[in-house]
């Protein structure tokens, strides 16, 4: 038996050691003179019992007892408190703090000490068993035995707590009710064991795609609930719900059988829909019923306005996925003109979607493409198509033309993008200096290390970098200094409507002077009249584009306008 004696009095320690020596079972005795030494010994070694003096300098034995009892039961050990005082209240205080026995030092004899140690060990083992039983019962009361998730009782408590907490914040809370579609058919066809395996696999797949701070529970049968807190934008809810929906598209392997599982998700918001837990459950349940009614494998918000927004966004995303698959995109090309010579020097590539035989402008689909990250494959298609087209036109042109290509902030998260660009340039034999990638000031606001690295790598290839829409509300001179920019495109909204607008003229004069002083080229956007063109020339703006010089053309229209012999 290994025993730790914690006592600052050497005489008392020697007495205890002599008393213990009367029994051969105490094989190892370790001494500590302070609480700190005692705690260090406890953490470094295993002891069967600790004999702990109550009265010690700096920190007393009761403090050490309290600290030891904060450890998990399985990491702790039996403790016998000792004191020179025979005060009953002191003994009770020690026992209530977690000691298994209490001894008065003056009464210590070999038989009494041996009995106290055995009693303390027995009581401690009983306490451990009781603690284990408590946690087992608690787990049964709080956890779902099949999936390991929280159960309905715990979910109800968590929802009430979350709602009470959110009444003090400006954020929203969302309740997602999830129900497996046609789960009864799985049980009836493949058996309840297969149904149980499917439930566990569904839970595992959903858990892998949650952020980690959601409260996820099994409410009973094939119904689950998720609580989302601190929601600032309802799009966050949409993203999570869609992710859950999409990860279940792949069939599950259950034994020898592949089972396709789909779910219906009903969503209610606090405080928009429900003011308490009961209302939140009611409204999310109604929303889930609507989802099933609409054909299952659906997401449905209780609030009709949000549902309409979600449906519209969802439809656009589905059209984009189809458009990518069916290659239903085309590029238009707006000419970029040399302000001095009025000659063509290049184009800006502008994407359009042709799904369902209509022409969709980028404002209608780019935001959804960015949110869904479909902009990544779409953006690569634009880069390839624009570079390829430039190689064709430059073969026909007497002088090399340039091509401006817009980059989304989402594309800057793709660390393989610079390599892809370089490969496309080599493939079509295009000088990198003829390609200019346009970034909005919004994209530069998020100056994360990875994004800056992507911009620098593109610049290192030899491609030019342009700051687009300069002056639209996020303007910062630091952008002109901190990024490898070659060109600044002054937004068309800064072009004065008339020569009488003194304030607008002063603004564009000041901006162009500053940009020139930094050695950057300027492109004037939105040049729609001869007065705009004259102004650009007066300001020594090198390049211009706008309807005065040419609208965005299709490939055939460019051929007809500029390359027809």
């Amino acid at each position: 038996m290994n025993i730790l004696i914690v006592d600052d009095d050497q005489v008392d320690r020697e007495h205890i050691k002599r008393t213990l020596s009367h029994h051969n079972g105490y094989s190892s005795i370790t001494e500590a003179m302070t609480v700190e030494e005692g705690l260090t010994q406890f953490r470094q070694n295993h002891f069967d019992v600790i004999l702990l003096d109550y009265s010690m300098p700096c920190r007393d034995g009761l403090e050490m007892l309290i600290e030891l009892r904060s450890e998990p039961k399985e990491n702790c050990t039996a403790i016998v408190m000792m004191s020179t005082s025979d005060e009953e209240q002191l003994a009770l205080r020690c026992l209530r703090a977690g000691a298994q026995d209490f001894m008065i030092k003056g009464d210590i004899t070999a038989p009494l000490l041996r009995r106290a140690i055995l009693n303390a060990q027995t009581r401690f083992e009983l306490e451990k068993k009781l603690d284990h039983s408590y946690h087992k019962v608690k787990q049964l009361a709080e956890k779902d035995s099949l999936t390991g998730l929280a159960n309905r009782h715990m979910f109800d408590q968590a929802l009430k707590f979350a709602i009470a907490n959110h009444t003090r914040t400006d954020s929203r809370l969302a309740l997602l009710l999830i129900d497996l579609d046609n789960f009864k058919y799985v049980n009836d066809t493949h058996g309840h064991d297969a149904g149980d395996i499917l439930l566990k696999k569904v839970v595992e797949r959903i858990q892998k795609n949650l952020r980690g701070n959601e409260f996820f529970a099994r409410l009973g049968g094939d119904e689950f609930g998720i609580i989302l807190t601190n929601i600032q934008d309802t799009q966050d809810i949409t993203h999570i719900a869609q992710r859950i929906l999409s990860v279940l598209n792949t069939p599950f392997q259950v034994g020898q059988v592949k089972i396709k599982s789909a779910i219906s998700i009903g969503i209610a918001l606090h405080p928009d829909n429900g003011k308490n837990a009961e209302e939140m459950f009611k409204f999310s349940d109604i929303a889930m019923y609507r989802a099933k009614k609409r054909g299952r494998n659906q997401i449905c918000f209780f609030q009709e306005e949000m549902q309409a927004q979600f449906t519209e966004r969802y439809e656009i995303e589905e059209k984009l996925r189809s458009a990518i698959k069916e290659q239903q995109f085309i590029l238009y090309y707006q000419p970029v003109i040399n302000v001095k010579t009025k000659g063509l020097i290049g184009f800006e590539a502008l994407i359009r979607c042709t799904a369902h035989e209509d022409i969709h402008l980028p404002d209608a689909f780019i935001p959804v493409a960015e949110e869904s990250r479909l902009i990544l494959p779409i953006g690569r298609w634009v880069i390839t198509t624009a570079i390829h087209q430039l190689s064709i036109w430059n073969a026909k042109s007497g002088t090399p033309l340039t091509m401006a290509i817009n980059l989304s902030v989402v594309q800057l998260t793709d660390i393989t993008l610079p390599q892809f660009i370089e490969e496309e340039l080599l493939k079509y034999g295009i000088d990198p200096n003829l390609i200019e990638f346009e970034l909005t000031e919004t994209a530069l606001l998020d100056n994360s290390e990875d994004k800056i690295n992507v911009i620098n790598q593109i610049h290192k290839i030899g491609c030019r970098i342009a700051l687009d829409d300069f002056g639209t509300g996020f303007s910062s001179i630091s952008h002109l200094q901190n990024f490898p920019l070659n060109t600044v495109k002054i937004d068309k909204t800064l072009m004065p409507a008339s020569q009488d607008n003194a304030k607008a003229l002063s603004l564009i004069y000041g901006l162009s002077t500053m940009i020139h002083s930094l050695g950057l080229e300027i492109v004037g956007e939105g040049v729609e009249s001869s007065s705009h063109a004259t102004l650009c020339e007066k300001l020594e703006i090198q390049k211009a584009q706008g309807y005065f010089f040419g609208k965005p053309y299709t490939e055939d229209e460019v051929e007809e306008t500029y390359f027809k012999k």
Side-chain angles (χ1 to χ4, degrees):
M1 182 181 292
N2 295 328
I3 296 175
L4 172 63
I5 302 171
V6 184
D7 195 328
D8 65 313
D9 191 311
Q10 185 176 354
V11 174
D12 287 346
R13 292 200 310 274
E14 291 299 327
H15 172 63
I16 293 168
K17 285 195 293 182
R18 283 196 303 273
T19 305
L20 290 171
S21 67
H22 291 290
H23 192 276
N24 296 328
Y26 305 128
S27 57
S28 175
I29 297 173
T30 304
E31 297 175 61
M33 291 181 287
T34 65
V35 167
E36 284 72 20
E37 285 182 30
L39 289 171
T40 300
Q41 290 290 345
F42 169 76
R43 287 169 183 141
Q44 292 177 351
N45 304 286
H46 167 75
F47 297 102
D48 298 296
V49 69
I50 298 174
L51 302 178
L52 178 58
D53 184 24
Y54 172 78
S55 179
M56 284 186 287
C58 299
R59 299 177 66 189
D60 61 32
L62 192 60
E63 288 186 43
M64 181 173 174
L65 174 63
I66 292 169
E67 192 162 336
L68 289 172
R69 284 299 172 247
S70 66
E71 299 277 338
K73 276 287 184 193
E74 57 270 19
N75 296 342
C76 204
T77 190
I79 299 171
V80 177
M81 290 294 291
M82 304 179 299
S83 176
T84 56
S85 172
D86 60 358
E87 185 185 342
E88 286 186 2
Q89 289 302 317
L90 175 61
L92 288 172
R93 194 154 65 246
C94 292
L95 293 170
R96 284 169 181 160
Q100 277 71 43
D101 210 336
F102 181 91
M103 295 193 75
I104 301 168
K105 284 187 175 182
D107 295 341
I108 291 178
T109 62
L112 287 177
L113 183 56
R114 181 170 178 271
R115 187 170 64 187
I117 290 172
L118 291 174
N119 285 345
Q121 286 186 298
T122 304
R123 285 172 188 151
F124 183 69
E125 287 302 317
L126 289 172
E127 286 173 14
K128 281 206 318 188
K129 288 180 181 177
L130 185 62
D131 185 67
H132 177 73
S133 298
Y134 165 75
H135 282 97
K136 192 171 182 180
V137 171
K138 189 172 184 287
Q139 186 175 19
L140 289 171
E142 298 176 352
K143 296 284 186 181
D144 171 56
S145 58
L146 178 66
T147 63
L149 295 176
N151 62 17
R152 176 63 183 261
H153 170 72
M154 280 301 296
F155 192 80
D156 288 346
Q157 299 302 312
L159 182 59
K160 287 174 183 175
F161 176 80
I163 290 173
N165 191 47
H166 267 69
T167 57
R168 298 187 290 271
T169 68
D170 295 328
S171 59
R172 285 168 162 163
L173 178 149
L175 171 58
L176 280 63
L177 282 191
I178 301 170
D179 192 82
L180 269 65
D181 297 330
N182 301 314
F183 183 68
K184 185 177 182 299
Y185 173 80
V186 174
N187 277 334
D188 292 345
T189 306
H190 303 289
H192 288 277
D193 288 345
D196 287 348
I197 294 170
L198 177 63
L199 287 175
K200 288 193 282 189
K201 286 180 176 287
V202 166
V203 166
E204 183 182 347
R205 204 178 282 183
I206 291 175
Q207 279 181 316
K208 285 180 180 177
N209 287 274
L210 293 176
R211 300 173 300 182
N213 58 345
E214 304 88 349
F215 195 92
F216 185 24
R218 183 187 181 197
L219 306 183
D222 60 341
E223 187 173 83
F224 300 87
I226 296 176
I227 301 169
L228 304 178
T229 55
N230 298 317
I231 301 296
Q232 303 297 332
D233 188 342
T234 53
Q235 286 299 332
D236 295 340
I237 308 168
T238 300
H239 293 157
I240 292 169
Q242 280 190 303
R243 200 158 62 235
I244 293 170
L245 208 66
S246 62
V247 297
L248 299 184
N249 286 337
T250 306
F252 293 88
Q253 188 71 43
V254 179
Q256 303 300 314
V257 182
K258 281 190 176 181
I259 299 176
K260 181 77 169 67
S261 181
I263 57 174
S264 297
I265 303 176
I267 303 172
L269 301 181
H270 169 80
D272 306 68
N273 306 144
K275 299 296 185 289
N276 54 49
E278 291 74 19
E279 288 183 353
M280 290 288 286
F281 264 111
K282 179 175 74 175
F283 293 135
S284 56
D285 202 30
I286 290 170
M288 187 174 67
Y289 170 75
R290 290 176 186 168
K292 287 187 175 293
K293 195 174 179 182
R294 287 173 180 170
R296 302 176 187 271
N297 199 32
Q298 301 279 329
I299 299 167
C300 186
F301 283 86
F302 175 74
Q303 196 168 335
E304 289 298 335
E305 180 184 346
M306 289 182 185
Q307 182 60 31
Q309 292 172 358
F310 167 76
T311 302
E312 180 183 8
R313 186 198 175 283
Y314 182 76
E315 287 175 354
I316 292 173
E317 185 174 330
E318 288 303 300
K319 286 177 183 176
L320 283 177
R321 292 185 189 279
S322 175
I324 292 170
K325 188 176 179 181
E326 302 297 328
Q327 297 185 335
Q328 295 173 321
F329 294 101
I330 60 170
L331 289 184
Y332 278 57
Y333 302 90
Q334 185 166 35
V336 178
I337 303 299
N338 183 305
V339 171
K340 272 189 178 180
T341 66
K342 305 299 184 292
L344 176 72
I345 55 175
F347 298 94
E348 179 181 358
L350 302 166
I351 191 171
R352 305 287 187 263
C353 181
T354 60
H356 302 283
E357 300 180 356
D358 294 322
I359 301 295
H360 302 280
L361 295 174
D363 286 351
F365 63 86
I366 289 297
V368 175
E370 289 180 325
E371 289 169 10
S372 61
R373 298 184 70 81
L374 293 175
I375 194 68
L376 296 177
I378 293 171
R380 289 200 172 202
W381 176 86
V382 171
I383 291 168
T384 298
T385 306
I387 291 175
H388 183 206
Q389 189 61 63
L390 185 65
S391 70
I392 294 170
W393 286 336
N394 277 351
K396 298 178 180 181
S397 175
T399 56
L401 299 170
T402 63
M403 183 69 74
I405 302 170
N406 291 280
L407 278 186
S408 159
V409 63
V410 179
Q411 289 174 271
L412 297 180
T413 64
D414 179 6
I415 60 174
T416 64
L417 181 63
Q419 181 184 346
F420 172 77
I421 292 169
E422 191 169 20
E423 289 170 354
E424 295 304 294
L425 291 169
L426 288 170
K427 180 179 177 182
Y428 294 107
I430 291 294
D431 182 347
N433 192 53
L434 297 177
I435 301 297
E436 188 164 71
F437 287 100
E438 297 187 3
L439 304 170
T440 63
E441 290 183 295
T442 310
L444 300 184
L445 287 176
D446 181 9
N447 56 352
S448 66
E449 188 176 339
D450 286 344
K451 290 176 185 174
I452 292 172
N453 190 39
V454 169
I455 294 170
N456 287 331
Q457 285 187 57
I458 293 172
H459 187 259
K460 192 175 178 181
I461 291 168
C463 297
R464 296 168 63 83
I465 306 292
L467 178 58
D468 196 11
D469 300 336
F470 187 73
T472 55
F474 294 101
S475 300
S476 172
I477 296 173
S478 65
H479 293 156
L480 305 180
Q481 296 174 311
N482 299 337
F483 293 92
L485 300 174
N486 305 102
T487 305
V488 175
K489 301 188 75 172
I490 295 180
D491 191 69
K492 61 184 179 182
T493 58
L494 297 181
M495 282 291 173
S498 73
Q499 296 300 310
D500 299 328
N501 192 333
K503 189 176 285 187
L505 285 170
S506 296
L507 177 60
I508 199 166
Y509 269 103
L511 286 175
S512 60
T513 301
M514 178 187 67
I515 297 166
H516 279 311
S517 70
L518 294 171
L520 302 173
E521 284 193 346
I522 304 176
V523 177
E525 292 185 294
V527 178
E528 297 181 352
S529 65
S530 59
S531 63
H532 285 166
T534 302
L535 178 62
C536 287
E537 195 167 357
K538 190 181 293 185
L539 296 175
E540 297 184 355
I541 290 175
Q542 296 93 336
K543 305 173 185 177
Q545 63 185 96
Y547 274 59
F548 179 74
F549 295 116
K551 65 174 186 176
Y553 296 121
T554 64
E555 176 191 336
D556 291 340
E557 288 171 335
V558 171
E559 293 276 353
E560 182 72 21
T561 305
Y562 295 103
F563 299 107
K564 187 176 181 182
K565 293 182 180 180

